[in-house]
Amino acid sequence: RPVVGALVDGPRHAHLQRTGTAAMALLPLLLLIPLLLPMLASRFLYGIAWAVFSVSINAVLAKLAPPQRRAQAAAGFLTAGATGALILQPVGVRLYADFGDALPILLVVALGSVALLAALRLTVPVSARSLPGPAPVVGSTPGAATRKASRVARFVEPAALPGTAMLMAAYSAWSI
């Protein structure tokens, strides 16, 4: 992680996050090869991908979430790991017991692929000056649509969704 941390401090943390997400989504496919070497390679590379993802996603989350909403975005994001493990661990065990090891692995790849598609659609600001923030308009009052959107935004911080989905897939993969 220290090596990855040094890379994340540069301007390419969004690329690192996408690379880690892609690797975590696709590397479990090596587990379908019934040989020891691909399995070991998959686990080793998955650990590196996890380091790249987990360090870089925090930088991406900090850039995407407005400053006044970062704690809320981080809370939803960090809850995803436990949620993924709690929900999908029994599902993975059941799938493994009923159908063998291929179906749980394919489920993990499917979840990771959905998260990868979401991560690829993100537009991450390059400089700290381009952070999204509040744009107050003097003398304006929010209308009904704005208030409703604000209530929805308080429940789900959109900036946290791709990382949250990937964390759920990752923890599910480890749980399964």
Side-chain angles (χ1 to χ4, degrees):
R1 285 189 182 200
V3 172
V4 175
L7 293 172
V8 169
D9 287 338
R12 301 227 180 256
H13 54 269
H15 298 298
L16 288 169
Q17 183 265 327
R18 291 179 183 123
T19 301
T21 304
M24 290 173 63
L26 301 175
L27 279 171
L29 290 173
L30 290 176
L31 297 174
L32 295 174
I33 302 171
L35 298 171
L36 183 61
L37 190 58
M39 183 194 71
L40 292 174
S42 173
R43 296 295 84 199
F44 177 75
L45 294 172
Y46 196 87
I48 293 171
W50 177 258
V52 169
F53 171 78
S54 65
V55 172
S56 63
I57 192 64
N58 289 309
V60 170
L61 181 68
K63 283 225 172 193
L64 290 176
Q68 68 276 15
R69 303 282 304 278
R70 284 193 188 136
Q72 181 185 9
F77 174 72
L78 294 172
T79 305
T83 304
L86 284 171
I87 293 172
L88 289 173
Q89 185 174 29
V91 170
V93 169
R94 188 62 187 191
L95 289 174
Y96 178 77
D98 291 347
F99 302 104
D101 55 355
L103 196 55
I105 291 170
L106 293 175
L107 174 62
V108 168
V109 171
L111 288 170
S113 298
V114 168
L116 176 59
L117 290 174
L120 291 173
R121 293 185 51 95
L122 287 177
T123 303
V124 180
V126 175
S127 72
R129 281 179 244 128
S130 63
L131 282 173
V137 178
V138 178
S140 69
T141 58
T146 305
R147 285 192 301 273
K148 182 176 181 182
S150 177
R151 283 193 302 268
V152 170
R154 271 183 260 154
F155 181 69
V156 176
E157 176 57 52
L161 292 178
T164 300
M166 190 60 220
L167 265 185
M168 287 184 77
Y171 276 100
S172 300
W174 286 0
S175 299
I176 292 174

